Amino acid sequence: MPGPTYSQHPLSLPSYPRGSHLITSDITSQLSAPLKGVKAGLLHLFLQHTSCALSLNENYDSDVRKDMSDSLDKIVEEDKAGKGIYRHDAEGSDDMPAHIKSSLIGASVSIPITHGKLALGTWQGIWFLEFRDGKHRRKVLATVQGERE
């Protein structure tokens, strides 16, 4: 009986504007070959940046993503007026709040794999949350591990 297999795959996300974005199809399309044939396993996604985040959440109603972004902006204030509320401000007024939000939400998610498909709940999707203004190319390292069929 063969043991579990492990593979890693660097992924690139398209540039997204500031906000919360559903990226399930981006991830599954880039990983269709590595996921195929995994009987039971785990996909671990690690975002290689400190000013954005990954999350699992509502995949149906886009208002949830808008409400999440609005709520995080209320929780973590941006110093647009230049009052000096953050010491780390050399990269812009959105940078330190982006680091805080990234720490609150997290840089990784793990999702079970069952018979080559992600075992997400009915209303679950993979979210990418961009906390910075401007266009950024973001990298995700995907690790696929599991027992092959």
Side-chain angles (χ1 to χ4, degrees):
M1 173 187 272
T5 61
Y6 298 86
S7 60
Q8 287 192 323
H9 311 273
L11 309 177
S12 292
L13 296 177
S15 290
Y16 286 102
R18 187 172 175 162
S20 302
H21 308 278
L22 186 63
I23 62 165
T24 309
S25 61
D26 291 332
I27 297 298
T28 56
S29 67
Q30 291 186 64
L31 292 174
S32 60
L35 292 174
K36 185 177 181 180
V38 175
K39 179 180 177 182
L42 193 63
L43 170 64
H44 183 79
L45 299 173
F46 175 72
L47 185 60
Q48 297 177 303
H49 303 277
T50 62
S51 56
C52 47
L54 292 174
S55 180
L56 295 175
N57 215 310
E58 166 78 47
N59 71 353
Y60 181 72
D61 185 351
S62 62
D63 284 343
V64 175
R65 292 190 296 279
K66 293 172 190 163
D67 287 341
M68 179 67 75
S69 293
D70 291 347
S71 295
L72 287 169
D73 287 343
K74 290 175 186 171
I75 292 167
V76 183
E77 179 183 2
E78 188 172 332
D79 189 13
K80 289 184 180 183
K83 296 178 184 178
I85 61 173
Y86 301 112
R87 287 178 283 277
H88 177 75
D89 62 3
E91 297 177 52
S93 65
D94 64 336
D95 189 47
M96 189 60 218
H99 293 311
I100 295 168
K101 293 172 191 175
S102 178
S103 290
L104 291 172
I105 303 300
S108 65
V109 295
S110 294
I111 306 159
I113 304 166
T114 305
H115 298 291
K117 301 215 181 292
L118 299 183
L120 292 164
T122 302
W123 304 111
Q124 284 183 318
I126 304 167
W127 284 23
F128 168 70
L129 296 92
E130 176 60 70
F131 302 129
R132 297 291 313 270
D133 294 323
K135 300 285 185 174
H136 300 280
R137 295 289 299 174
R138 302 301 194 173
K139 297 176 187 176
V140 175
L141 183 61
T143 303
V144 177
Q145 58 190 43
E147 177 185 351
R148 293 257 165 216
E149 295 188 279

